[in-house]
Amino acid sequence: MHLSGQSLLARSVASAAACPGVGRIVVVAPPSHLAEAATAGALAAPGVPVRVVAGGPERGDSVAAGLAALESDVEIVLVHDAARAQAPPSLFESVIEAVRAGHPAVVPGLPVVDTIKQVDDREHVVATPVRAGLRAIQTPQGFRRDVLVRAHGAANLGDGPATDDAALVERLGLPVLVVPGHRLAEKITTAEDLAVAEALAAAAETHVQPAVGTR
């Protein structure tokens, strides 16, 4: 998919490459799209080494493939969704700085503005979590490399598949720090999401800050 004439992958790579703390990038792509991903990565990050490797059938397999492609001297790893194509370089940097400060795992998150209901298999409400303690988690998520490797090694010992890498770290009993997320890091999943992202991109290009209100 493209956003304002540029693929989501290229935008994600370019944003990561613009962060001073990022020294190399590994793109994990479907085996059928390796050549396309390599071209997009090379054009988007001319000053940062970009390597493209094939992903696996599950999310965890793909992250493991990316980890295996990193040199042994890499100590901090960020895992990022290309679908969050407008996450700004400053968000990458804040996550890196928090890991460097001693936190084993760091995720960006935004306060939840909707009331959340937990339901059972019959769609009956069983609980209403206190909204003040909830965060909508984004990427990039940052980890000490040894912690992320341990988390993936123990993934099969948990309670089913995890929707993000931080959940695997939680299963190890290690703390996960939440730093402020960014409105531009919203995930692009549907056609409606893409339309919103186009509007945000246009606003950013004209230096118009979108108004975000909560109640």
Side-chain angles (χ1 to χ4, degrees):
M1 296 299 297
H2 284 71
L3 173 62
S4 297
Q6 189 177 26
S7 73
L8 299 186
L9 173 60
R11 278 182 169 268
S12 294
V13 170
S15 186
C19 171
V22 172
R24 65 208 71 178
I25 296 171
V26 176
V27 175
V28 185
S32 58
H33 289 71
L34 296 182
E36 182 180 359
T39 299
L43 292 176
V48 177
V50 178
R51 183 176 180 183
V52 178
V53 299
E58 302 293 339
R59 186 181 189 282
D61 300 318
S62 295
V63 175
L67 278 170
L70 290 172
E71 294 85 348
S72 60
D73 63 336
V74 175
E75 297 180 352
I76 295 176
V77 177
L78 304 186
V79 180
H80 185 52
D81 298 328
R84 300 184 188 274
Q86 298 197 91
S90 59
L91 188 60
F92 287 80
E93 192 64 24
S94 67
V95 171
I96 293 172
E97 289 177 354
V99 178
R100 284 177 176 163
H103 299 282
V106 179
V107 298
L110 293 174
V112 173
V113 297
D114 295 316
T115 296
I116 304 297
K117 299 288 186 182
Q118 181 182 348
V119 300
D120 60 19
D121 56 2
R122 296 179 300 166
E123 294 297 314
H124 291 168
V125 173
V126 296
T128 303
V130 178
R131 189 170 62 182
L134 299 177
R135 297 292 182 271
I137 299 304
Q138 304 174 321
T139 67
Q141 299 186 356
F143 308 89
R144 288 202 329 251
R145 183 181 186 161
D146 63 307
V147 168
L148 187 56
V149 170
R150 280 176 54 201
H152 276 269
N156 293 332
L157 303 178
D159 301 322
T163 56
D164 71 353
D165 296 276
L168 298 178
V169 174
E170 293 168 38
R171 293 176 183 177
L172 295 178
L174 296 176
V176 177
L177 176 71
V178 179
V179 297
H182 199 286
R183 178 72 177 88
L184 289 177
E186 295 289 342
K187 192 173 185 179
I188 300 172
T189 305
T190 67
E192 290 78 9
D193 296 336
L194 187 61
V196 171
E198 290 277 7
L200 290 172
E205 290 170 3
T206 56
H207 305 289
V208 175
Q209 295 301 316
V212 178
T214 60
R215 296 182 63 182

